[in-house]
Amino acid sequence: MKLNELLRNIKNVALTGSDNVEITGVNIDSRRIGTGQLFVAMRGTQVDGHRFITKATEQGAAAVLCEELPEVLSEGVTYVKVPSTEDVVGHVATAFYGNPSEKLKLVGATGTNGKTTIATLLYNMFRKLGYKCGLLSTVCNYIEEEVVPADHTTPDPIELNRLLAQMVDAGCQYVFMECSSHAIAQKRIGGLKFSVGIFTNLTRDHLDYHKTFENYRDAKKAFFDMLPKGSYAIINADDKNGSVMVQNTKATVKTYSTRQMADYRARLIECHFEGMYLEIDGYEVGVQFIGKFNVSNLLAVYGTARVLGEKPEDILIALSTLGSVSGRLEPIRSADGFTAIVDYAHTPDALENVLNAIHEVLDGRGKVITVCGAGGNRDKGKRPLMAKEAARQSDRVIITSDNPRFEDPQEIINDMLAGLDRQQMKKVLCIVDRREAIRTACMMAQKGDVILIAGKGHEDYQEIKGVKHHFDDKEVVREFITN
């Protein structure tokens, strides 16, 4: 593809060299640059790609997209200067891969909690309904049945468009994806055409990156601002930020709620650890999920399927057959009569929701033991709040390591303990070793009790000092239960 074709919709371009050069690929990683490719110099949160322009040209880059020209220009290389490479990289990637999102029905879910569950359930449901589908999620990416490992909730714009193009080639009709606040703020989804945008909820998270809750909220809102005419915005009317999300959207707005008037409504009839019995828009249906927050998630799935043209009866039949998403309120039964639940809850609100769901089922008939920690090099302000929520709703709490990354695990635990009063401290144990913390919880549990192991969910690693060590909460629980 010619460089001028990639730049067709890019404004404020200053060109040095020929725009008629043939481009064989687009890349933001100088280490992966091949002959004839366009290198995009991005100013990342850790590294500035402008430092590697010369390396990229030495490896064969035919053109460079940048915000500042290097002091020495390489002969035969075209330099394209723009005000912000972050603003245009998505549009360039979309053009290079043939605008794949325009050849699909692309559905994006954003919010603090529920993104993975909603995107995954939509993917599984629409495959059951007979469609070819793709999935882009925290847990894993799928092109129909082909597994593509996920390193980020939302890939970089070049990788994202490459995956979407592969999905088009595989015959996919629908793609369901999570849209994280980082991805929206960093323009990773720039240039994509969404058919549906879903808003789940908004609570404190990622303030290490966004700095303020308002910035975090506005990042989510920017997703709905970019939705085109003819698309749909499906929002949770039970969250006060729902109306904020769609203040400036061009999309048709549809609402869902468990508490008030909305386009799509649900009522919880009965709840067990095996699932719930619900009424959705006048239809009664049994589902293999628990927790009021999952009622909202299922409503989001239902509403999305409705605006995509599916019949209510077909949607509910498919919903009734779907199981829980990996690491999301995933129960593991022991022969001794207690239940361990593994969940990804890593924010105060998510922890509250999961513990509420457990209490709805237990109804005072057993004790709750919570094992939780907090990630290192992330929002420190949520640590004491998480400990406080765990202590408020649990009979015993074991505070342990999550992914400490480059922080001292004990310091993270100390930050969590700062949220507890003297009475709450009486029910708390601190065990830095996560395996030992889980083992201790299993030894404490009696028949009828529930152990919540929160924070990592589907993850099969523990990140310590930049190294990912294999660690799977579910494997560890099963090992202790078996023994």
Side-chain angles (χ1 to χ4, degrees), residues 427-448:
K427 63 170 76 173
V428 173
L429 285 176
C430 297
I431 303 176
V432 173
D433 186 294
R434 191 173 180 91
R435 178 180 294 273
E436 183 62 24
I438 294 171
R439 187 184 76 86
T440 301
C442 290
M443 292 176 64
M444 285 180 176
Q446 304 293 316
K447 183 177 180 180

Side-chain angles (χ1 to χ4, degrees), residues 128-328:
K128 283 183 177 291
L129 293 172
Y131 299 100
K132 290 188 173 183
C133 301
L135 174 67
L136 296 161
S137 82
T138 303
V139 177
C140 195
N141 301 322
Y142 286 90
I143 304 173
E144 266 291 275
E145 293 182 349
E146 180 189 350
V147 176
V148 183
D151 293 325
H152 300 283
T153 301
T154 312
D156 71 64
I158 297 167
E159 174 68 8
L160 178 54
N161 277 278
R162 186 181 69 81
L163 285 169
L164 290 173
Q166 289 179 344
M167 292 172 182
V168 171
D169 291 342
C172 292
Q173 298 148 282
Y174 292 93
V175 174
F176 305 99
M177 69 178 290
E178 297 180 48
C179 297
S180 68
S181 59
H182 289 71
I184 300 166
Q186 295 168 8
K187 314 293 175 64
R188 287 187 229 160
I189 58 174
L192 299 184
K193 180 186 177 184
F194 286 86
S195 297
V196 182
I198 305 164
F199 170 71
T200 61
N201 49 60
L202 202 66
T203 59
R204 181 190 179 115
D205 201 13
H206 301 305
L207 297 196
D208 54 302
Y209 176 79
H210 295 288
K211 306 305 180 188
T212 68
F213 182 82
E214 289 72 26
N215 290 344
Y216 177 49
R217 178 199 63 205
D218 291 346
K220 299 289 189 185
K221 180 180 178 295
F223 172 60
F224 295 92
D225 292 346
M226 68 175 278
L227 292 178
K229 285 184 178 180
S231 65
Y232 287 89
I234 313 291
I235 66 166
N236 182 0
D238 294 334
D239 189 293
K240 63 183 180 182
N241 294 288
S243 58
V244 176
M245 293 296 122
V246 293
Q247 282 175 346
N248 305 109
T249 191
K250 301 182 190 73
T252 299
V253 177
K254 295 287 185 179
T255 57
Y256 63 94
S257 172
T258 61
R259 301 199 298 261
Q260 57 186 291
M261 292 300 295
D263 294 297
Y264 309 111
R265 298 187 65 194
R267 180 173 64 91
L268 175 60
I269 299 172
E270 200 172 302
C271 188
H272 308 277
F273 277 124
E274 290 72 28
M276 299 181 289
Y277 203 54
L278 309 176
E279 181 187 279
I280 297 179
D281 274 2
Y283 298 88
E284 292 189 359
V285 60
V287 295
Q288 301 172 50
F289 300 85
I290 65 169
K292 290 179 180 176
F293 68 96
N294 265 327
V295 180
S296 292
N297 290 338
L298 293 169
L299 262 182
V301 171
Y302 175 82
T304 301
R306 286 291 306 273
V307 301
L308 290 173
E310 298 304 309
K311 297 177 181 177
E313 297 90 339
D314 294 338
I315 299 168
L316 295 174
I317 289 171
L319 272 183
S320 69
T321 66
L322 299 178
S324 62
V325 177
S326 176
R328 268 63 177 177

